[in-house]
Amino acid sequence: MNKIFLIFPDPIIELIARTSGYFARLLRPGVDEAVEKKIRGIFLSPRFGSNRSTIGRHVLFHGVNNITIGRSNSINSGSQFIAGSRGRIIIGDFSHVSRNSVLAGTGGITIGDHCKISSGVMIYTTTYDRADGGLLRDAPAKREPITIGNDVHIGANASILGGVTIGNNATVAAGAVVAKDVAENAIVGGVPAKQIGSNQ
């Protein structure tokens, strides 16, 4: 049955989702967004090897074949998943990506289970190497993987940079810029992010 969903073009899926949301709102105001997310999840999740996930409006998936999403995830409106032709994005089970977050995984992003990624989070694996002091136009692209463990919470508008590993049960405060590894159970915040507490 899942293979059937793969043949539906995106505009048809969106029409079905919005129509379902419209009628749901007539019957019970306030449930239309949840119904739409569920319908999109039914049709789109199999593309990523997922099931029982929900997907909001205007979510961009670039490089679908290089994106793997586990079961029962929630992806909210406006988020972007950019794997491209050479990158990779892997998300475990029961995780949540909130509105307008960007996962640019051309260097590889792995996110564990039960993670909460808040609104406006930027996860970028690529930067430009200007160590030799040259011009930006001559700088080679530098792609480094990012690994986020299980039970990690990333606060709103935080940025995670390439080469970073975030340990299990860690918390990244809102607005933090994480350029170095974060230990398990650590709470980090600031620019650049430093440990400010512990979840133990």
Side-chain angles (χ1 to χ4, degrees), residues 155-170:
N157 301 313
S159 298
I160 315 297
L161 305 183
V164 164
T165 296
I166 299 177
N168 296 334
N169 200 42

Side-chain angles (χ1 to χ4, degrees), residues 58-60 75-81 97-101:
H58 309 299
V59 175
L60 170 69
I75 300 169
N76 280 355
S77 300
S79 293
Q80 299 181 42
F81 294 72
V97 179
S98 201
R99 297 178 187 273
N100 302 317
S101 290

Side-chain angles (χ1 to χ4, degrees), residues 113-136:
D113 302 334
H114 299 281
C115 290
K116 305 295 182 191
I117 297 174
S118 300
S119 298
V121 169
M122 304 292 167
I123 303 176
Y124 283 102
T125 59
T126 303
T127 187
Y128 294 93
D129 188 354
R130 300 181 72 181
D132 61 359
L135 298 172
L136 178 60

